Amino acid sequence: MEFHHAVRRLCTLLLASSLLLACTAQPPPFAQLSGMLLDARLDEISGLAASRVHEDVLWMLDDGGNDAQLFAVGTRGGLQATFTVAGVANTDWEDIAAFELDGRHYLLVADTGDNGGLRRSLQLHVIEEPASLDEAAQRMPLKPAWSIAFRWPDGARDCEAVAVDAQRGQVLLVSKKRTPPELFALPLRPHGNNLQVARKLGELAGVPQPDAEALRANAPMARIRHQVTAADIAPDGRRLAVMTYNEVLLYRRGSNESWAQAVAREPAIHDLPWLPQAEALGWDAAGRGLYATGEFSPAPLLYLNPGP
């Protein structure tokens, strides 16, 4: 046990040192170290969203196979609260989004992972954001305000990137393993409980692809590095951030444009510093920057500054 703690401390120091070095490479830095995730319950984080109710709080969730729980985490990385979600299973939770609708604040949990391409239907669960993080509130299980069951139009896909455009009443989904990645949409508040069919909007332009040297060195790893693992729409509704294991892409939408038009243009691309299994990304509540982290613990919590 003592050896395990020593290894964790060493990993923490190495992570912090490498990130600080990376941050000094480009002034002003794109990536800054905001905190560290050290709690063992946060060792498979696959989604992140900034709270619209609690200042300096991020909502996070674990990957599939774990309990159906949501974690309230401070922007320095400390775990503040844990909530159980009743009535649903964590089959393969992959992303979370925060949004406001009709004066209420919600979290959308995306049970959309499908590594084996075997799932016939997938689910999105919309949960009202807890008003309090105290112990009494944590003892009360959360329940979905509504859920959306859906399927893809033409066969199974793995999807780890889901975002909400509440102004347009849309949920956006980005496929993970297709080249180029595909953009789909679902209604945020569908009528009735019928199985929805995701509608393809287009494909993402400008997602980097491995070069010949990377393919020669390690072809399987080179192809994985640019797979899409997270997405989020800024509070202003004009910017879509998309993360891969290697970079963050920023697509801008004009006032009279659709998201299909926005992602058809080349994005601004920012390389990520070293981040283990980068799978969680979300805009801060003000829309000035993004928080990002990855699976495994300890893990760095980054603050990303994509510029104006």
Side-chain angles (χ1 to χ4, degrees):
M1 184 65 69
E2 194 171 314
F3 174 75
H4 177 71
H5 289 319
V7 170
R8 286 172 64 86
R9 287 195 296 270
L10 178 59
C11 288
T12 301
L13 289 171
L14 289 173
L15 283 166
S17 299
S18 64
L19 284 163
L20 288 171
L21 287 173
C23 290
T24 61
Q26 45 177 333
F30 167 63
Q32 297 170 285
L33 183 63
S34 179
M36 296 293 297
L37 304 182
L38 301 175
D39 195 292
R41 288 166 289 184
L42 306 177
D43 66 349
E44 285 194 84
I45 295 300
S46 60
L48 177 161
S51 172
R52 301 299 194 262
V53 175
H54 306 286
E55 188 175 359
D56 294 330
V57 167
L58 308 173
W59 290 102
M60 299 186 186
L61 51 78
D62 275 338
D63 207 340
N66 291 285
D67 293 334
Q69 293 181 324
L70 299 181
F71 305 104
V73 179
T75 53
R76 298 301 182 191
L79 179 60
Q80 297 187 6
T82 301
F83 290 84
T84 297
V85 183
V88 301
N90 182 352
T91 303
D92 198 351
W93 289 7
E94 289 292 358
D95 209 349
I96 183 171
F99 66 96
E100 181 179 350
L101 184 67
D102 299 330
R104 295 179 178 270
H105 299 281
Y106 294 99
L107 302 169
L108 182 141
V109 173
D111 192 350
T112 55
D114 190 10
N115 288 323
L118 301 175
R119 299 179 68 179
R120 294 185 178 182
S121 64
L122 307 103
Q123 292 80 39
L124 306 173
H125 304 296
V126 178
I127 301 160
E128 190 162 1
E129 187 171 344
S132 173
L133 304 180
D134 64 20
E135 291 186 7
Q138 293 178 61
R139 288 195 292 269
M140 300 293 293
L142 304 176
K143 296 181 180 179
W146 71 90
S147 294
I148 305 166
F150 76 96
R151 67 173 177 85
W152 303 108
D154 56 356
R157 286 168 174 77
D158 194 15
C159 172
E160 297 187 1
V162 178
V164 173
D165 186 339
Q167 297 172 8
R168 294 177 168 232
Q170 283 185 326
V171 181
L172 300 183
L173 308 97
V174 184
S175 63
K176 180 178 182 180
K177 298 173 183 176
R178 303 290 177 102
T179 303
E182 305 155 304
L183 180 68
F184 290 85
L186 286 165
L188 176 58
R189 197 70 188 263
H191 299 292
N193 297 317
N194 294 334
L195 184 69
Q196 302 293 310
V197 179
R199 178 169 57 93
K200 185 174 178 179
L201 300 182
E203 297 175 342
L204 272 62
V207 179
Q209 296 301 309
D211 58 25
E213 182 178 348
L215 289 170
R216 282 194 300 270
N218 188 333
M221 184 58 66
R223 294 190 179 97
I224 289 172
R225 285 169 63 88
H226 305 290
Q227 291 181 350
V228 173
T229 61
D232 198 25
I233 294 173
D236 63 10
R238 296 290 185 86
R239 293 164 293 166
L240 172 66
V242 175
M243 186 165 72
T244 74
Y245 290 117
N246 198 66
E247 56 265 322
V248 172
L249 299 87
L250 191 66
Y251 296 91
R252 296 183 180 274
R253 183 180 65 81
S255 57
N256 296 316
E257 286 187 322
S258 67
W259 284 114
Q261 292 171 307
V263 302
R265 288 196 303 273
E266 294 291 316
I269 300 177
H270 301 273
D271 290 335
L272 282 170
W274 181 75
L275 185 60
Q277 198 84 359
E279 294 201 2
L281 178 80
W283 289 94
D284 66 22
R288 289 189 291 266
L290 299 128
Y291 288 97
T293 191
E295 292 189 350
F296 309 123
S297 178
L301 177 62
L302 302 182
Y303 185 75
L304 309 178
N305 176 21

mmCIF file of all heavy atoms in Angstrom, residues 119-120 122 150-157 173 175 178 182-186 195-201:
data_model
loop_
_atom_site.group_PDB
_atom_site.id
_atom_site.type_symbol
_atom_site.label_atom_id
_atom_site.label_comp_id
_atom_site.label_asym_id
_atom_site.label_seq_id
_atom_site.Cartn_x
_atom_site.Cartn_y
_atom_site.Cartn_z
ATOM 1 N N ARG A 119 -24.923 -2.968 -30.428
ATOM 2 C CA ARG A 119 -26.138 -2.437 -29.799
ATOM 3 C C ARG A 119 -27.168 -2.012 -30.858
ATOM 4 O O ARG A 119 -26.849 -1.258 -31.777
ATOM 5 C CB ARG A 119 -25.794 -1.253 -28.897
ATOM 6 C CG ARG A 119 -24.848 -1.611 -27.766
ATOM 7 C CD ARG A 119 -24.509 -0.420 -26.891
ATOM 8 N NE ARG A 119 -25.675 0.032 -26.136
ATOM 9 C CZ ARG A 119 -25.642 1.055 -25.285
ATOM 10 N NH1 ARG A 119 -24.505 1.730 -25.097
ATOM 11 N NH2 ARG A 119 -26.728 1.419 -24.625
ATOM 12 N N ARG A 120 -28.389 -2.508 -30.692
ATOM 13 C CA ARG A 120 -29.454 -2.165 -31.625
ATOM 14 C C ARG A 120 -30.085 -0.819 -31.311
ATOM 15 O O ARG A 120 -30.658 -0.169 -32.184
ATOM 16 C CB ARG A 120 -30.527 -3.263 -31.615
ATOM 17 C CG ARG A 120 -30.021 -4.601 -32.147
ATOM 18 C CD ARG A 120 -31.152 -5.613 -32.234
ATOM 19 N NE ARG A 120 -30.689 -6.870 -32.787
ATOM 20 C CZ ARG A 120 -31.481 -7.915 -33.017
ATOM 21 N NH1 ARG A 120 -32.784 -7.827 -32.718
ATOM 22 N NH2 ARG A 120 -30.991 -9.025 -33.526
ATOM 23 N N LEU A 122 -29.707 2.786 -28.450
ATOM 24 C CA LEU A 122 -28.909 3.489 -27.461
ATOM 25 C C LEU A 122 -29.801 4.485 -26.744
ATOM 26 O O LEU A 122 -30.929 4.741 -27.174
ATOM 27 C CB LEU A 122 -27.717 4.185 -28.116
ATOM 28 C CG LEU A 122 -26.843 3.260 -28.978
ATOM 29 C CD1 LEU A 122 -27.151 3.514 -30.452
ATOM 30 C CD2 LEU A 122 -25.372 3.447 -28.712
ATOM 31 N N PHE A 150 -32.812 5.668 -29.191
ATOM 32 C CA PHE A 150 -32.614 5.914 -30.622
ATOM 33 C C PHE A 150 -31.756 4.822 -31.251
ATOM 34 O O PHE A 150 -31.120 4.022 -30.555
ATOM 35 C CB PHE A 150 -31.980 7.290 -30.858
ATOM 36 C CG PHE A 150 -30.504 7.367 -30.549
ATOM 37 C CD1 PHE A 150 -29.547 7.214 -31.548
ATOM 38 C CD2 PHE A 150 -30.058 7.586 -29.245
ATOM 39 C CE1 PHE A 150 -28.187 7.288 -31.263
ATOM 40 C CE2 PHE A 150 -28.702 7.662 -28.953
ATOM 41 C CZ PHE A 150 -27.763 7.508 -29.968
ATOM 42 N N ARG A 151 -31.732 4.843 -32.563
ATOM 43 C CA ARG A 151 -30.841 3.970 -33.332
ATOM 44 C C ARG A 151 -30.232 4.781 -34.460
ATOM 45 O O ARG A 151 -30.707 5.872 -34.795
ATOM 46 C CB ARG A 151 -31.601 2.762 -33.891
ATOM 47 C CG ARG A 151 -32.651 3.099 -34.947
ATOM 48 C CD ARG A 151 -33.235 1.850 -35.570
ATOM 49 N NE ARG A 151 -34.290 2.145 -36.526
ATOM 50 C CZ ARG A 151 -34.082 2.435 -37.809
ATOM 51 N NH1 ARG A 151 -32.836 2.539 -38.291
ATOM 52 N NH2 ARG A 151 -35.087 2.684 -38.627
ATOM 53 N N TRP A 152 -29.172 4.235 -35.030
ATOM 54 C CA TRP A 152 -28.558 4.859 -36.189
ATOM 55 C C TRP A 152 -29.359 4.485 -37.436
ATOM 56 O O TRP A 152 -30.029 3.451 -37.452
ATOM 57 C CB TRP A 152 -27.104 4.415 -36.347
ATOM 58 C CG TRP A 152 -26.274 4.689 -35.145
ATOM 59 C CD1 TRP A 152 -25.789 3.784 -34.255
ATOM 60 C CD2 TRP A 152 -25.828 5.970 -34.675
ATOM 61 N NE1 TRP A 152 -25.068 4.402 -33.258
ATOM 62 C CE2 TRP A 152 -25.080 5.745 -33.498
ATOM 63 C CE3 TRP A 152 -25.995 7.278 -35.134
ATOM 64 C CZ2 TRP A 152 -24.494 6.782 -32.769
ATOM 65 C CZ3 TRP A 152 -25.419 8.316 -34.421
ATOM 66 C CH2 TRP A 152 -24.676 8.067 -33.260
ATOM 67 N N PRO A 153 -29.299 5.267 -38.505
ATOM 68 C CA PRO A 153 -30.143 4.994 -39.672
ATOM 69 C C PRO A 153 -29.699 3.792 -40.498
ATOM 70 O O PRO A 153 -30.503 3.211 -41.223
ATOM 71 C CB PRO A 153 -30.050 6.284 -40.493
ATOM 72 C CG PRO A 153 -28.752 6.896 -40.089
ATOM 73 C CD PRO A 153 -28.581 6.549 -38.644
ATOM 74 N N ASP A 154 -28.415 3.418 -40.392
ATOM 75 C CA ASP A 154 -27.913 2.400 -41.321
ATOM 76 C C ASP A 154 -26.841 1.512 -40.690
ATOM 77 O O ASP A 154 -25.801 1.261 -41.289
ATOM 78 C CB ASP A 154 -27.346 3.069 -42.578
ATOM 79 C CG ASP A 154 -26.267 4.096 -42.251
ATOM 80 O OD1 ASP A 154 -26.027 4.341 -41.047
ATOM 81 O OD2 ASP A 154 -25.666 4.655 -43.185
ATOM 82 N N GLY A 155 -27.087 1.047 -39.483
ATOM 83 C CA GLY A 155 -26.127 0.148 -38.854
ATOM 84 C C GLY A 155 -25.439 0.763 -37.661
ATOM 85 O O GLY A 155 -25.422 1.986 -37.483
ATOM 86 N N ALA A 156 -24.848 -0.112 -36.832
ATOM 87 C CA ALA A 156 -24.270 0.310 -35.555
ATOM 88 C C ALA A 156 -23.050 1.204 -35.742
ATOM 89 O O ALA A 156 -22.326 1.098 -36.734
ATOM 90 C CB ALA A 156 -23.905 -0.910 -34.732
ATOM 91 N N ARG A 157 -22.836 2.068 -34.749
ATOM 92 C CA ARG A 157 -21.664 2.937 -34.686
ATOM 93 C C ARG A 157 -21.242 3.088 -33.231
ATOM 94 O O ARG A 157 -22.065 3.042 -32.337
ATOM 95 C CB ARG A 157 -21.968 4.339 -35.243
ATOM 96 C CG ARG A 157 -22.092 4.429 -36.741
ATOM 97 C CD ARG A 157 -22.683 5.773 -37.124
ATOM 98 N NE ARG A 157 -22.709 5.971 -38.559
ATOM 99 C CZ ARG A 157 -23.596 5.416 -39.369
ATOM 100 N NH1 ARG A 157 -24.531 4.627 -38.877
ATOM 101 N NH2 ARG A 157 -23.557 5.656 -40.667
ATOM 102 N N LEU A 173 -24.487 14.365 -32.346
ATOM 103 C CA LEU A 173 -23.672 13.188 -32.061
ATOM 104 C C LEU A 173 -22.627 13.046 -33.146
ATOM 105 O O LEU A 173 -22.924 13.227 -34.339
ATOM 106 C CB LEU A 173 -24.531 11.918 -32.001
ATOM 107 C CG LEU A 173 -25.752 11.945 -31.085
ATOM 108 C CD1 LEU A 173 -27.015 12.274 -31.899
ATOM 109 C CD2 LEU A 173 -25.940 10.618 -30.368
ATOM 110 N N SER A 175 -19.721 10.416 -34.728
ATOM 111 C CA SER A 175 -19.229 9.037 -34.724
ATOM 112 C C SER A 175 -17.739 9.014 -34.413
ATOM 113 O O SER A 175 -17.011 9.976 -34.690
ATOM 114 C CB SER A 175 -19.502 8.365 -36.070
ATOM 115 O OG SER A 175 -18.792 9.022 -37.113
ATOM 116 N N ARG A 178 -15.474 6.241 -37.756
ATOM 117 C CA ARG A 178 -15.625 6.473 -39.190
ATOM 118 C C ARG A 178 -14.655 7.561 -39.651
ATOM 119 O O ARG A 178 -14.323 8.480 -38.906
ATOM 120 C CB ARG A 178 -17.056 6.896 -39.516
ATOM 121 C CG ARG A 178 -18.136 5.889 -39.068
ATOM 122 C CD ARG A 178 -18.103 4.615 -39.881
ATOM 123 N NE ARG A 178 -19.082 3.644 -39.419
ATOM 124 C CZ ARG A 178 -20.250 3.406 -40.011
ATOM 125 N NH1 ARG A 178 -20.599 4.105 -41.084
ATOM 126 N NH2 ARG A 178 -21.069 2.488 -39.542
ATOM 127 N N GLU A 182 -18.725 11.386 -38.745
ATOM 128 C CA GLU A 182 -20.040 11.824 -39.207
ATOM 129 C C GLU A 182 -20.765 12.591 -38.096
ATOM 130 O O GLU A 182 -20.627 12.275 -36.921
ATOM 131 C CB GLU A 182 -20.886 10.609 -39.592
ATOM 132 C CG GLU A 182 -20.222 9.707 -40.613
ATOM 133 C CD GLU A 182 -20.754 8.282 -40.514
ATOM 134 O OE1 GLU A 182 -20.691 7.692 -39.411
ATOM 135 O OE2 GLU A 182 -21.243 7.784 -41.539
ATOM 136 N N LEU A 183 -21.570 13.566 -38.512
ATOM 137 C CA LEU A 183 -22.376 14.349 -37.579
ATOM 138 C C LEU A 183 -23.848 13.972 -37.746
ATOM 139 O O LEU A 183 -24.385 13.991 -38.858
ATOM 140 C CB LEU A 183 -22.190 15.844 -37.853
ATOM 141 C CG LEU A 183 -22.983 16.787 -36.941
ATOM 142 C CD1 LEU A 183 -22.450 16.731 -35.512
ATOM 143 C CD2 LEU A 183 -22.932 18.213 -37.476
ATOM 144 N N PHE A 184 -24.488 13.639 -36.614
ATOM 145 C CA PHE A 184 -25.897 13.266 -36.601
ATOM 146 C C PHE A 184 -26.655 14.195 -35.650
ATOM 147 O O PHE A 184 -26.058 14.843 -34.790
ATOM 148 C CB PHE A 184 -26.075 11.824 -36.135
ATOM 149 C CG PHE A 184 -25.587 10.791 -37.110
ATOM 150 C CD1 PHE A 184 -24.251 10.412 -37.136
ATOM 151 C CD2 PHE A 184 -26.459 10.194 -38.010
ATOM 152 C CE1 PHE A 184 -23.803 9.463 -38.029
ATOM 153 C CE2 PHE A 184 -26.017 9.237 -38.918
ATOM 154 C CZ PHE A 184 -24.685 8.871 -38.923
ATOM 155 N N ALA A 185 -27.979 14.195 -35.779
ATOM 156 C CA ALA A 185 -28.821 14.985 -34.893
ATOM 157 C C ALA A 185 -30.040 14.186 -34.462
ATOM 158 O O ALA A 185 -30.540 13.327 -35.197
ATOM 159 C CB ALA A 185 -29.257 16.276 -35.574
ATOM 160 N N LEU A 186 -30.500 14.492 -33.240
ATOM 161 C CA LEU A 186 -31.742 13.963 -32.689
ATOM 162 C C LEU A 186 -32.512 15.117 -32.075
ATOM 163 O O LEU A 186 -31.914 16.111 -31.640
ATOM 164 C CB LEU A 186 -31.451 12.932 -31.595
ATOM 165 C CG LEU A 186 -30.952 11.554 -32.015
ATOM 166 C CD1 LEU A 186 -30.387 10.811 -30.813
ATOM 167 C CD2 LEU A 186 -32.077 10.742 -32.656
ATOM 168 N N LEU A 195 -39.015 4.962 -30.565
ATOM 169 C CA LEU A 195 -37.599 4.876 -30.889
ATOM 170 C C LEU A 195 -37.271 5.884 -31.985
ATOM 171 O O LEU A 195 -37.864 5.865 -33.065
ATOM 172 C CB LEU A 195 -37.256 3.456 -31.359
ATOM 173 C CG LEU A 195 -35.783 3.174 -31.656
ATOM 174 C CD1 LEU A 195 -34.959 3.172 -30.365
ATOM 175 C CD2 LEU A 195 -35.633 1.834 -32.377
ATOM 176 N N GLN A 196 -36.342 6.782 -31.692
ATOM 177 C CA GLN A 196 -35.937 7.797 -32.647
ATOM 178 C C GLN A 196 -34.867 7.249 -33.600
ATOM 179 O O GLN A 196 -34.152 6.310 -33.270
ATOM 180 C CB GLN A 196 -35.388 9.023 -31.917
ATOM 181 C CG GLN A 196 -36.353 9.652 -30.934
ATOM 182 C CD GLN A 196 -37.548 10.279 -31.605
ATOM 183 O OE1 GLN A 196 -37.394 11.060 -32.557
ATOM 184 N NE2 GLN A 196 -38.734 9.947 -31.134
ATOM 185 N N VAL A 197 -34.756 7.869 -34.759
ATOM 186 C CA VAL A 197 -33.709 7.518 -35.724
ATOM 187 C C VAL A 197 -32.822 8.745 -35.913
ATOM 188 O O VAL A 197 -33.311 9.823 -36.299
ATOM 189 C CB VAL A 197 -34.300 7.078 -37.074
ATOM 190 C CG1 VAL A 197 -33.170 6.739 -38.056
ATOM 191 C CG2 VAL A 197 -35.223 5.873 -36.898
ATOM 192 N N ALA A 198 -31.540 8.610 -35.596
ATOM 193 C CA ALA A 198 -30.611 9.727 -35.748
ATOM 194 C C ALA A 198 -30.523 10.133 -37.223
ATOM 195 O O ALA A 198 -30.463 9.279 -38.111
ATOM 196 C CB ALA A 198 -29.244 9.352 -35.213
ATOM 197 N N ARG A 199 -30.518 11.433 -37.445
ATOM 198 C CA ARG A 199 -30.486 11.967 -38.813
ATOM 199 C C ARG A 199 -29.080 12.474 -39.134
ATOM 200 O O ARG A 199 -28.533 13.296 -38.399
ATOM 201 C CB ARG A 199 -31.503 13.105 -38.938
ATOM 202 C CG ARG A 199 -31.551 13.783 -40.299
ATOM 203 C CD ARG A 199 -32.757 14.702 -40.379
ATOM 204 N NE ARG A 199 -32.752 15.693 -39.308
ATOM 205 C CZ ARG A 199 -32.221 16.928 -39.428
ATOM 206 N NH1 ARG A 199 -31.649 17.289 -40.572
ATOM 207 N NH2 ARG A 199 -32.272 17.773 -38.421
ATOM 208 N N LYS A 200 -28.524 11.980 -40.220
ATOM 209 C CA LYS A 200 -27.175 12.412 -40.592
ATOM 210 C C LYS A 200 -27.222 13.821 -41.175
ATOM 211 O O LYS A 200 -27.993 14.115 -42.092
ATOM 212 C CB LYS A 200 -26.552 11.450 -41.605
ATOM 213 C CG LYS A 200 -25.096 11.797 -41.927
ATOM 214 C CD LYS A 200 -24.441 10.757 -42.827
ATOM 215 C CE LYS A 200 -23.008 11.159 -43.152
ATOM 216 N NZ LYS A 200 -22.320 10.164 -44.017
ATOM 217 N N LEU A 201 -26.355 14.694 -40.614
ATOM 218 C CA LEU A 201 -26.271 16.073 -41.077
ATOM 219 C C LEU A 201 -25.114 16.281 -42.043
ATOM 220 O O LEU A 201 -25.183 17.143 -42.921
ATOM 221 C CB LEU A 201 -26.100 17.025 -39.893
ATOM 222 C CG LEU A 201 -27.196 17.032 -38.836
ATOM 223 C CD1 LEU A 201 -26.886 18.067 -37.758
ATOM 224 C CD2 LEU A 201 -28.556 17.298 -39.450
#
